[in-house]
Amino acid sequence: MKLADCLKALADFRQKNMGDPDISEITIDSRQVKPGSLFFCIKGHHVDGHLFAVQAEERGAAAIVAQDPIDVSVPVIYVNDTHRALAMIADRFYGFPSHNLHLIGVTGTNGKTTITYLVQSIQEAAGINTGLIGTMGMRYKNEYIPVQNTTPEVHLIHKNLADMKNKGAGSVVMETSSNALYDGRVHGCDFNVGIFTNLTEDHLDLHGTMKDYMYAKSLLFSQLGNSYRNDEIKAAVLNVDDPASEVYKHMTAAHVITYGINKPADYHATSIQITPSGTTFILEVGENKYPVSMKLIGKFSVYNVLAALAACSLSKIGITDMINTVEQIKGVSGRFEPVDAGQNFTVIVDYSHTPDSLENALSTIKEFAEKRIIAIVGCGGDRERGKRPIMAKIAVDESDLAILTSDNPRTEDPEAILAEMETGIKGRSYMKITDRREAIRYAMQNAEDGDIVLIAGKGHEDYQIIGTKKHHFDDREEARAAIVARLNK
């Protein structure tokens, strides 16, 4: 595409160094610039892309988009906001891909990853080719691309939406984090459905207050648009049991479909029974009632399934067909995932890294625990500090033995993180084992017949971030190795 064609996406700009080169790709990373690239100087939280404009030119950039003065000889497009321009140009450059896809966005504190997996599974079983973008990467058919953020940067979203569409996808389901919504990483995405899971304390280091956090997530529903078309139904799928839904329904002009357990809803679950092997409930949709018996465990899993069913109903999939698919799903990697190496106690690895998700995981375990519950819990460094004492208190309150340990300390001192956690449990009984590997080994060595060990916080993650470097570390691998070592004694 010619540079002039790319610039048709912009309402206002100023060009220095005239020319209309061919543009072969879009990038914000000067290290990835190739001949023909259009390089965007993005002012990030830690790095200013303007500092790398010369390097981009040296590597062959055909043109550069900037908002501050730069000294290069290739065409420079000056705009007020390079990140906003990035979204507009990327959408045009890749052929407005979301306009030709059934795009589903999922936002909320907890449950996003599981819901995207459920939606993809239900739609694929119904013959709808469905792509997925989220915490565990971008997936379509047998292809997998790892991502750095829950929601990738905006040009990568448009690029991969186009790639999925060109390879036959009819639908894409995507996690949309509050940070991504606020930063504009989904600008230009034409969402058909927005799903809200829940709102509990998280990311206050970035948003400041719960009210600001709530409003950041509301952007998904306002971005459903303000018009109605006969050939395209847009909808907000809201958890009626969460008070934020009352706000979100006023943030959108789209249809509203509700789901819940405690209050009447369009998709309502009753008679919930939780066992170590799964969960049963009655799904009520209008006057109709459907029994559901699934392998997924916990009340939070019921909420996730309700959200996925409500969203997929908009794709005209029959309820009984959706239920049949849900009942076959065994689970999602790192989400209440059991580790079985032949031991006589239960080990569960879960991504629960917020107060609400930790409490949900432990309360679910209490539904079927017959003996002790051992909880291994940590808090990440360089992240919201206010939840640290809360997490520790929940671990102590809801388990028989709480073990505080390290969890992605990043650039903070692990001991300092644990000290902040301990302020929430003064005078209480607990253990502190700073080294996460040692904490897991201790639990595996000392668990007794019938105990349940929850290893919380990392789930599917296979690394520890210490300083600024990632080191391979997988809770499931560590637990399995410790169990095998115990059994071979």
Side-chain angles (χ1 to χ4, degrees), residues 411-463:
T411 63
E412 286 194 68
D413 179 359
E415 294 291 346
I417 296 173
L418 291 173
E420 290 192 354
M421 293 182 70
E422 290 177 290
T423 62
I425 48 177
K426 290 181 179 179
R428 306 290 298 278
S429 177
Y430 63 93
M431 291 190 67
K432 181 175 74 171
I433 304 177
T434 306
D435 184 286
R436 192 174 184 89
R437 178 174 286 113
E438 290 303 319
I440 293 173
R441 285 177 179 171
Y442 178 87
M444 298 305 104
Q445 290 295 326
N446 290 277
E448 300 172 357
D449 186 7
D451 286 349
I452 300 176
V453 181
L454 173 68
I455 307 175
K458 296 185 62 61
H460 68 284
E461 292 180 350
D462 60 358
Y463 57 82

Side-chain angles (χ1 to χ4, degrees), residues 25-35 37-42 46-61 64 148-149 153 155-156 468:
E25 66 173 9
I26 290 172
T27 185
I28 64 173
D29 187 340
S30 61
R31 296 167 298 181
Q32 296 178 357
V33 169
K34 300 175 182 177
S37 295
L38 178 59
F39 176 68
F40 283 76
C41 300
I42 302 296
H46 304 292
V47 178
D48 185 348
H50 292 81
L51 300 176
F52 301 93
V54 172
Q55 180 181 342
E57 180 183 26
E58 291 172 348
R59 293 181 65 88
I64 297 176
Q148 294 296 318
N149 301 307
E153 189 48 84
H155 65 296
L156 296 177
T468 58

Side-chain angles (χ1 to χ4, degrees), residues 248-267:
Y248 294 158
K249 78 176 185 180
H250 293 288
M251 293 290 186
T252 183
H255 298 275
V256 172
I257 300 175
T258 60
Y259 68 93
I261 296 172
N262 302 326
K263 297 179 181 178
D266 298 317
Y267 284 74

Side-chain angles (χ1 to χ4, degrees), residues 80-252:
N80 292 329
D81 184 337
T82 52
H83 196 272
R84 191 173 294 269
L86 173 66
M88 295 171 176
I89 291 178
D91 189 31
R92 181 178 182 83
F93 183 80
Y94 292 111
F96 311 105
S98 63
H99 297 200
N100 299 298
L101 289 165
H102 183 76
L103 185 60
I104 302 170
V106 186
T107 197
T109 307
N110 303 310
K112 296 186 295 296
T113 299
T114 298
I115 290 173
T116 55
Y117 176 82
L118 291 169
V119 168
Q120 185 185 46
S121 298
I122 292 170
Q123 293 197 151
E124 289 278 357
I128 302 171
N129 292 332
T130 304
L132 184 152
I133 300 174
T135 302
M136 294 195 293
M138 291 185 277
R139 301 172 184 270
Y140 179 63
K141 293 187 175 178
N142 295 322
E143 296 185 27
Y144 166 73
I145 301 173
V147 297
Q148 294 296 318
N149 301 307
T150 296
T151 311
E153 189 48 84
V154 65
H155 65 296
L156 296 177
I157 290 178
H158 291 299
K159 178 180 180 179
N160 284 281
L161 288 178
D163 187 51
M164 290 177 185
K165 179 179 71 68
N166 293 336
K167 292 178 179 177
S171 178
V172 174
V173 58
M174 175 168 61
E175 293 184 53
T176 53
S177 68
S178 59
N179 300 344
L181 286 162
Y182 186 79
D183 289 343
R185 275 183 259 152
V186 294
H187 279 172
C189 292
D190 185 16
F191 288 102
N192 298 86
V193 181
I195 301 174
F196 168 60
T197 65
N198 50 52
L199 188 75
T200 61
E201 185 171 330
D202 198 19
H203 300 305
L204 297 190
D205 53 329
L206 296 172
H207 297 295
T209 68
M210 283 297 293
K211 187 174 182 179
D212 289 334
Y213 180 39
M214 177 182 68
Y215 281 128
K217 291 191 175 297
S218 76
L219 293 171
L220 174 62
F221 306 103
S222 64
Q223 290 174 26
L224 289 172
N226 196 48
S227 61
Y228 305 110
R229 289 170 46 182
N230 292 332
D231 61 338
E232 183 180 67
I233 298 295
K234 294 199 172 190
V237 176
L238 305 178
N239 176 2
V240 73
D241 292 338
D242 193 297
S245 289
E246 189 65 24
V247 175
Y248 294 158
K249 78 176 185 180
H250 293 288
M251 293 290 186
T252 183

Side-chain angles (χ1 to χ4, degrees), residues 395-411:
V396 171
D397 288 347
E398 302 298 327
S399 70
D400 298 288
L401 172 60
I403 302 175
L404 308 187
T405 192
S406 185
D407 180 350
N408 289 341
R410 298 182 176 87
T411 63

